[in-house]
Amino acid sequence: MAESAAKRLKTSEAGSGVKIGTHNGHFHADEALAVYMLRLLPTYANSSLVRTRDPALLETCHTVVDVGGEYDPARNRYDHHQRTFTTTFPGRPTKLSSAGLVYMHFGKSIIAQRLQKPEDSDEVGVLWNKLYESFIEALDAHDNGISAYDPDKIAEAGIEKRFSDSGFTLGALVGRLNPDWNDPLPADPTEAQAAEDEKFLKASKRIGEEFSLDLDYYARAWLPARAIVQEAYAKRFQFDPEGRIMVFEGQSVPWKDHLYMLEEQEGSTAKKVLYVVYPEKPIPEAKWRIQAVPVTKDSFQSRKALPEPWRGARDQQLDQLTGIPDCVFVHASGFIGGNKTFRGAKAMAEKACAF
């Protein structure tokens, strides 16, 4: 099984300074992250790194990623460049890169270590899937040249990008750390390789920091929020007979992912939540917010934005427009608004549902 790869390693190897191999030359986000993730585990904590394409040198390595033309977990070989390679993460369509391969085989061990829970626990499984979908998969797609949208359908629809966002990708983050074409190079080949390796290690650390930040967020904040969202979702009919208003009575938590999962579990026949009401801060005198649920997690489009006449209005003007006291604001796009009291925010949600 993929998740048992870390267990399969000999315990005598743990901390022994095993050798990881990857290719030299221009480096990419996938092998940079693959090396970082391996080094999070005890077996690889003191590992050395060899960057080469020499088969004889790679053969001396305990684990090889992104080079060698071989995918064989039993031999700790994790390359994806073979023409016959088609492996994907369970339940996902995107062909894996070396980062995805390492994550598929070692990710549960990394997460279990972070959570201090068994690898087969429900919490580890939930985060294993979540981190792949939210972080690793985009990197796999980038390295394999897979577009987020079908290029033919985009062209057929005549859709053009309004601006370039290529500088914000994980690939760009690592790519900028490669040597420039006009950087001075040491004349000695050994020194030149050492200088390149130093840049690779900087890139590995940089993208690894992003991975660790994501892992820490999902472990520390996202996962504990799941039970709170489940409780609020179960109580939604107390606030609207059709269940269109979900309320966090004590404190807001990251809710979007969990809400979509809960709705998916209930099936397409269930009424969708349109608005989420929550306090700005976990204190008795806090103001309250009403937020329209996006069509998707990353969408700027709401399922039902707050009414158009309210948008951009504030304070007393908004009180008059809504007929509700203590209003604070409604954003110009209608995705969020505020009221000084829970009663007021709930009334705004009720009127918005009926609008």
Side-chain angles (χ1 to χ4, degrees):
M1 295 293 289
E3 62 267 28
S4 64
K7 292 182 179 178
R8 192 180 63 245
L9 299 176
K10 298 177 182 178
T11 55
S12 62
E13 293 171 338
S16 63
V18 298
K19 192 186 300 181
I20 300 173
T22 191
H23 63 82
N24 59 352
H26 192 89
F27 49 80
H28 307 93
D30 68 318
E31 77 267 19
L33 182 58
V35 170
Y36 178 89
M37 289 190 292
L38 288 171
R39 285 176 160 176
L40 292 175
L41 294 168
T43 297
Y44 298 97
N46 298 314
S47 61
S48 58
L49 179 67
V50 176
R51 297 182 67 246
T52 182
R53 294 185 184 274
D54 185 336
L57 289 177
L58 291 173
E59 191 59 35
T60 68
C61 295
H62 174 282
T63 300
V64 177
V65 299
D66 208 45
V67 70
E70 181 181 7
Y71 169 43
D72 183 358
R75 287 180 13 90
N76 295 309
R77 286 337 189 229
Y78 301 101
D79 195 12
H80 67 109
H81 293 99
Q82 309 85 277
R83 289 188 63 179
T84 57
F85 183 88
T86 58
T87 304
T88 62
F89 192 83
R92 302 301 300 172
T94 306
K95 188 170 74 170
L96 299 178
S97 69
S98 62
L101 281 171
V102 167
Y103 182 80
M104 184 171 73
H105 288 279
F106 296 91
K108 285 191 175 181
S109 297
I110 293 168
I111 295 166
Q113 179 178 269
R114 171 63 180 80
L115 295 181
Q116 292 296 293
K117 289 187 177 290
E119 284 187 35
D120 59 359
S121 68
D122 176 62
E123 294 92 336
V124 169
V126 167
L127 286 195
W128 185 60
N129 283 290
K130 181 59 186 173
L131 267 174
Y132 181 76
E133 294 176 17
S134 68
F135 192 94
I136 305 291
E137 187 169 20
L139 193 151
D140 285 342
H142 178 271
D143 196 75
N144 284 303
I146 300 171
S147 299
Y149 299 97
D150 185 328
D152 293 334
K153 291 184 179 179
I154 291 290
E156 183 181 337
I159 298 174
E160 296 184 2
K161 292 183 73 170
R162 292 176 175 171
F163 54 86
S164 173
D165 57 359
S166 60
F168 289 89
T169 67
L170 294 172
L173 181 148
V174 168
R176 282 191 286 269
L177 297 174
N178 272 283
D180 292 323
W181 68 271
N182 53 354
D183 282 350
L185 289 175
D188 180 75
T190 301
E191 291 181 8
Q193 186 60 58
E196 183 185 281
D197 291 350
E198 185 178 353
K199 288 182 177 291
F200 174 84
L201 291 174
K202 182 178 180 180
S204 181
K205 180 181 178 182
R206 179 68 185 87
I207 194 168
E209 287 172 346
E210 294 297 324
F211 172 80
S212 288
L213 284 170
D214 246 31
L215 172 57
D216 187 60
Y217 164 74
Y218 284 112
R220 180 180 50 82
W222 183 89
L223 190 61
R226 186 168 58 153
I228 296 173
V229 179
Q230 286 174 327
E231 181 181 358
Y233 187 73
K235 294 170 64 176
R236 68 194 187 282
F237 292 102
Q238 296 180 17
F239 303 101
D240 177 70
E242 296 184 39
R244 296 168 296 179
I245 300 171
M246 187 170 74
V247 176
F248 293 110
E249 298 177 86
Q251 179 177 5
S252 178
V253 298
W255 52 266
K256 293 178 185 176
D257 283 333
H258 303 297
L259 173 60
Y260 299 141
M261 288 179 189
L262 290 167
E263 289 181 334
E264 185 178 349
Q265 290 169 9
E266 287 210 350
S268 57
T269 57
K271 279 279 187 179
K272 301 291 186 184
V273 174
L274 298 180
Y275 302 107
V276 176
V277 176
Y278 56 88
E280 289 184 358
K281 298 177 181 179
I283 55 177
E285 63 272 20
K287 295 177 183 178
W288 285 73
R289 292 286 177 95
I290 169 176
Q291 185 170 346
V293 177
V295 173
T296 63
K297 178 190 172 184
D298 299 318
S299 174
F300 290 112
Q301 182 180 357
S302 302
R303 288 176 175 173
K304 187 174 185 180
L306 292 169
E308 195 279 334
W310 302 359
R311 298 175 197 173
R314 301 186 61 87
D315 305 322
Q316 291 183 353
Q317 180 194 12
L318 187 55
D319 290 353
Q320 294 172 359
L321 288 169
T322 62
I324 300 167
D326 298 321
C327 289
V328 178
F329 79 100
V330 168
H331 190 274
S333 68
F335 89 96
I336 196 169
N339 194 284
K340 294 178 182 177
T341 69
F342 165 66
R343 180 179 295 180
K346 178 174 174 288
M348 290 173 73
E350 291 169 342
K351 284 203 171 185
C353 283
F355 201 88

mmCIF file with all atom_site columns, all heavy atoms in Angstrom, residues 3 57 124 145 147 176 183 223 235 247 258 305-306:
data_model
loop_
_atom_site.group_PDB
_atom_site.id
_atom_site.type_symbol
_atom_site.label_atom_id
_atom_site.label_alt_id
_atom_site.label_comp_id
_atom_site.label_asym_id
_atom_site.label_entity_id
_atom_site.label_seq_id
_atom_site.pdbx_PDB_ins_code
_atom_site.Cartn_x
_atom_site.Cartn_y
_atom_site.Cartn_z
_atom_site.occupancy
_atom_site.B_iso_or_equiv
_atom_site.pdbx_formal_charge
_atom_site.auth_seq_id
_atom_site.auth_comp_id
_atom_site.auth_asym_id
_atom_site.auth_atom_id
_atom_site.pdbx_PDB_model_num
ATOM 1   N N   . GLU A 1 3   ? 0.628   4.113  1.513   1.00 0.00 ? 3   GLU A N   1
ATOM 2   C CA  . GLU A 1 3   ? 0.865   4.806  2.759   1.00 0.00 ? 3   GLU A CA  1
ATOM 3   C C   . GLU A 1 3   ? 1.812   4.080  3.701   1.00 0.00 ? 3   GLU A C   1
ATOM 4   O O   . GLU A 1 3   ? 2.203   4.595  4.730   1.00 0.00 ? 3   GLU A O   1
ATOM 5   C CB  . GLU A 1 3   ? -0.472  5.055  3.475   1.00 0.00 ? 3   GLU A CB  1
ATOM 6   C CG  . GLU A 1 3   ? -1.230  3.798  3.869   1.00 0.00 ? 3   GLU A CG  1
ATOM 7   C CD  . GLU A 1 3   ? -2.223  3.385  2.808   1.00 0.00 ? 3   GLU A CD  1
ATOM 8   O OE1 . GLU A 1 3   ? -1.994  3.681  1.627   1.00 0.00 ? 3   GLU A OE1 1
ATOM 9   O OE2 . GLU A 1 3   ? -3.230  2.764  3.163   1.00 0.00 ? 3   GLU A OE2 1
ATOM 10  N N   . LEU A 1 57  ? 26.047  6.589  -10.244 1.00 0.00 ? 57  LEU A N   1
ATOM 11  C CA  . LEU A 1 57  ? 25.946  7.328  -8.987  1.00 0.00 ? 57  LEU A CA  1
ATOM 12  C C   . LEU A 1 57  ? 24.549  7.196  -8.381  1.00 0.00 ? 57  LEU A C   1
ATOM 13  O O   . LEU A 1 57  ? 24.391  7.053  -7.161  1.00 0.00 ? 57  LEU A O   1
ATOM 14  C CB  . LEU A 1 57  ? 26.283  8.798  -9.205  1.00 0.00 ? 57  LEU A CB  1
ATOM 15  C CG  . LEU A 1 57  ? 27.754  9.129  -9.486  1.00 0.00 ? 57  LEU A CG  1
ATOM 16  C CD1 . LEU A 1 57  ? 27.919  10.620 -9.766  1.00 0.00 ? 57  LEU A CD1 1
ATOM 17  C CD2 . LEU A 1 57  ? 28.620  8.707  -8.294  1.00 0.00 ? 57  LEU A CD2 1
ATOM 18  N N   . VAL A 1 124 ? -5.876  11.442 9.875   1.00 0.00 ? 124 VAL A N   1
ATOM 19  C CA  . VAL A 1 124 ? -4.754  11.395 8.933   1.00 0.00 ? 124 VAL A CA  1
ATOM 20  C C   . VAL A 1 124 ? -5.257  11.207 7.510   1.00 0.00 ? 124 VAL A C   1
ATOM 21  O O   . VAL A 1 124 ? -4.791  11.869 6.574   1.00 0.00 ? 124 VAL A O   1
ATOM 22  C CB  . VAL A 1 124 ? -3.774  10.264 9.318   1.00 0.00 ? 124 VAL A CB  1
ATOM 23  C CG1 . VAL A 1 124 ? -2.751  10.028 8.203   1.00 0.00 ? 124 VAL A CG1 1
ATOM 24  C CG2 . VAL A 1 124 ? -3.050  10.613 10.617  1.00 0.00 ? 124 VAL A CG2 1
ATOM 25  N N   . GLY A 1 145 ? 2.546   19.445 -17.386 1.00 0.00 ? 145 GLY A N   1
ATOM 26  C CA  . GLY A 1 145 ? 1.987   20.237 -18.471 1.00 0.00 ? 145 GLY A CA  1
ATOM 27  C C   . GLY A 1 145 ? 0.491   20.066 -18.647 1.00 0.00 ? 145 GLY A C   1
ATOM 28  O O   . GLY A 1 145 ? -0.028  20.092 -19.769 1.00 0.00 ? 145 GLY A O   1
ATOM 29  N N   . SER A 1 147 ? -3.233  21.504 -18.011 1.00 0.00 ? 147 SER A N   1
ATOM 30  C CA  . SER A 1 147 ? -3.934  22.752 -17.741 1.00 0.00 ? 147 SER A CA  1
ATOM 31  C C   . SER A 1 147 ? -5.097  22.531 -16.781 1.00 0.00 ? 147 SER A C   1
ATOM 32  O O   . SER A 1 147 ? -5.699  21.450 -16.745 1.00 0.00 ? 147 SER A O   1
ATOM 33  C CB  . SER A 1 147 ? -4.476  23.355 -19.042 1.00 0.00 ? 147 SER A CB  1
ATOM 34  O OG  . SER A 1 147 ? -3.426  23.634 -19.939 1.00 0.00 ? 147 SER A OG  1
ATOM 35  N N   . ARG A 1 176 ? 12.225  30.793 -10.084 1.00 0.00 ? 176 ARG A N   1
ATOM 36  C CA  . ARG A 1 176 ? 12.989  32.036 -9.909  1.00 0.00 ? 176 ARG A CA  1
ATOM 37  C C   . ARG A 1 176 ? 14.303  31.813 -9.161  1.00 0.00 ? 176 ARG A C   1
ATOM 38  O O   . ARG A 1 176 ? 15.186  32.677 -9.199  1.00 0.00 ? 176 ARG A O   1
ATOM 39  C CB  . ARG A 1 176 ? 12.142  33.065 -9.165  1.00 0.00 ? 176 ARG A CB  1
ATOM 40  C CG  . ARG A 1 176 ? 11.112  33.763 -10.017 1.00 0.00 ? 176 ARG A CG  1
ATOM 41  C CD  . ARG A 1 176 ? 10.489  34.936 -9.295  1.00 0.00 ? 176 ARG A CD  1
ATOM 42  N NE  . ARG A 1 176 ? 9.552   34.507 -8.265  1.00 0.00 ? 176 ARG A NE  1
ATOM 43  C CZ  . ARG A 1 176 ? 8.254   34.324 -8.457  1.00 0.00 ? 176 ARG A CZ  1
ATOM 44  N NH1 . ARG A 1 176 ? 7.734   34.529 -9.659  1.00 0.00 ? 176 ARG A NH1 1
ATOM 45  N NH2 . ARG A 1 176 ? 7.462   33.938 -7.477  1.00 0.00 ? 176 ARG A NH2 1
ATOM 46  N N   . ASP A 1 183 ? 24.575  34.410 -14.991 1.00 0.00 ? 183 ASP A N   1
ATOM 47  C CA  . ASP A 1 183 ? 25.286  34.353 -13.705 1.00 0.00 ? 183 ASP A CA  1
ATOM 48  C C   . ASP A 1 183 ? 26.705  33.835 -13.924 1.00 0.00 ? 183 ASP A C   1
ATOM 49  O O   . ASP A 1 183 ? 26.918  32.903 -14.720 1.00 0.00 ? 183 ASP A O   1
ATOM 50  C CB  . ASP A 1 183 ? 24.562  33.407 -12.737 1.00 0.00 ? 183 ASP A CB  1
ATOM 51  C CG  . ASP A 1 183 ? 23.334  34.035 -12.114 1.00 0.00 ? 183 ASP A CG  1
ATOM 52  O OD1 . ASP A 1 183 ? 23.145  35.251 -12.275 1.00 0.00 ? 183 ASP A OD1 1
ATOM 53  O OD2 . ASP A 1 183 ? 22.553  33.296 -11.474 1.00 0.00 ? 183 ASP A OD2 1
ATOM 54  N N   . LEU A 1 223 ? -8.832  21.218 10.483  1.00 0.00 ? 223 LEU A N   1
ATOM 55  C CA  . LEU A 1 223 ? -9.386  19.947 10.963  1.00 0.00 ? 223 LEU A CA  1
ATOM 56  C C   . LEU A 1 223 ? -10.237 20.118 12.220  1.00 0.00 ? 223 LEU A C   1
ATOM 57  O O   . LEU A 1 223 ? -11.357 19.586 12.286  1.00 0.00 ? 223 LEU A O   1
ATOM 58  C CB  . LEU A 1 223 ? -8.256  18.939 11.205  1.00 0.00 ? 223 LEU A CB  1
ATOM 59  C CG  . LEU A 1 223 ? -8.690  17.499 11.476  1.00 0.00 ? 223 LEU A CG  1
ATOM 60  C CD1 . LEU A 1 223 ? -9.464  16.921 10.293  1.00 0.00 ? 223 LEU A CD1 1
ATOM 61  C CD2 . LEU A 1 223 ? -7.460  16.628 11.756  1.00 0.00 ? 223 LEU A CD2 1
ATOM 62  N N   . LYS A 1 235 ? -27.878 22.450 12.801  1.00 0.00 ? 235 LYS A N   1
ATOM 63  C CA  . LYS A 1 235 ? -28.828 23.348 13.466  1.00 0.00 ? 235 LYS A CA  1
ATOM 64  C C   . LYS A 1 235 ? -29.406 24.410 12.530  1.00 0.00 ? 235 LYS A C   1
ATOM 65  O O   . LYS A 1 235 ? -30.145 25.288 12.965  1.00 0.00 ? 235 LYS A O   1
ATOM 66  C CB  . LYS A 1 235 ? -28.137 24.037 14.646  1.00 0.00 ? 235 LYS A CB  1
ATOM 67  C CG  . LYS A 1 235 ? -27.730 23.088 15.769  1.00 0.00 ? 235 LYS A CG  1
ATOM 68  C CD  . LYS A 1 235 ? -26.840 23.764 16.787  1.00 0.00 ? 235 LYS A CD  1
ATOM 69  C CE  . LYS A 1 235 ? -27.553 24.900 17.507  1.00 0.00 ? 235 LYS A CE  1
ATOM 70  N NZ  . LYS A 1 235 ? -26.705 25.493 18.555  1.00 0.00 ? 235 LYS A NZ  1
ATOM 71  N N   . VAL A 1 247 ? -25.519 29.430 11.134  1.00 0.00 ? 247 VAL A N   1
ATOM 72  C CA  . VAL A 1 247 ? -25.056 30.377 12.148  1.00 0.00 ? 247 VAL A CA  1
ATOM 73  C C   . VAL A 1 247 ? -23.961 29.762 13.006  1.00 0.00 ? 247 VAL A C   1
ATOM 74  O O   . VAL A 1 247 ? -24.100 28.634 13.508  1.00 0.00 ? 247 VAL A O   1
ATOM 75  C CB  . VAL A 1 247 ? -26.228 30.827 13.053  1.00 0.00 ? 247 VAL A CB  1
ATOM 76  C CG1 . VAL A 1 247 ? -25.721 31.730 14.178  1.00 0.00 ? 247 VAL A CG1 1
ATOM 77  C CG2 . VAL A 1 247 ? -27.295 31.544 12.232  1.00 0.00 ? 247 VAL A CG2 1
ATOM 78  N N   . HIS A 1 258 ? -15.746 22.431 4.573   1.00 0.00 ? 258 HIS A N   1
ATOM 79  C CA  . HIS A 1 258 ? -16.584 21.516 5.349   1.00 0.00 ? 258 HIS A CA  1
ATOM 80  C C   . HIS A 1 258 ? -18.046 21.616 4.928   1.00 0.00 ? 258 HIS A C   1
ATOM 81  O O   . HIS A 1 258 ? -18.754 20.597 4.854   1.00 0.00 ? 258 HIS A O   1
ATOM 82  C CB  . HIS A 1 258 ? -16.432 21.804 6.843   1.00 0.00 ? 258 HIS A CB  1
ATOM 83  C CG  . HIS A 1 258 ? -15.016 21.709 7.336   1.00 0.00 ? 258 HIS A CG  1
ATOM 84  N ND1 . HIS A 1 258 ? -14.296 20.537 7.294   1.00 0.00 ? 258 HIS A ND1 1
ATOM 85  C CD2 . HIS A 1 258 ? -14.177 22.633 7.864   1.00 0.00 ? 258 HIS A CD2 1
ATOM 86  C CE1 . HIS A 1 258 ? -13.085 20.745 7.780   1.00 0.00 ? 258 HIS A CE1 1
ATOM 87  N NE2 . HIS A 1 258 ? -12.992 22.011 8.138   1.00 0.00 ? 258 HIS A NE2 1
ATOM 88  N N   . ALA A 1 305 ? -25.948 36.665 -3.882  1.00 0.00 ? 305 ALA A N   1
ATOM 89  C CA  . ALA A 1 305 ? -25.335 37.831 -3.255  1.00 0.00 ? 305 ALA A CA  1
ATOM 90  C C   . ALA A 1 305 ? -26.389 38.624 -2.494  1.00 0.00 ? 305 ALA A C   1
ATOM 91  O O   . ALA A 1 305 ? -27.595 38.517 -2.757  1.00 0.00 ? 305 ALA A O   1
ATOM 92  C CB  . ALA A 1 305 ? -24.674 38.708 -4.314  1.00 0.00 ? 305 ALA A CB  1
ATOM 93  N N   . LEU A 1 306 ? -25.940 39.413 -1.537  1.00 0.00 ? 306 LEU A N   1
ATOM 94  C CA  . LEU A 1 306 ? -26.868 40.282 -0.814  1.00 0.00 ? 306 LEU A CA  1
ATOM 95  C C   . LEU A 1 306 ? -27.540 41.241 -1.802  1.00 0.00 ? 306 LEU A C   1
ATOM 96  O O   . LEU A 1 306 ? -26.952 41.599 -2.828  1.00 0.00 ? 306 LEU A O   1
ATOM 97  C CB  . LEU A 1 306 ? -26.121 41.042 0.273   1.00 0.00 ? 306 LEU A CB  1
ATOM 98  C CG  . LEU A 1 306 ? -25.598 40.156 1.421   1.00 0.00 ? 306 LEU A CG  1
ATOM 99  C CD1 . LEU A 1 306 ? -24.635 40.928 2.309   1.00 0.00 ? 306 LEU A CD1 1
ATOM 100 C CD2 . LEU A 1 306 ? -26.750 39.591 2.243   1.00 0.00 ? 306 LEU A CD2 1
#
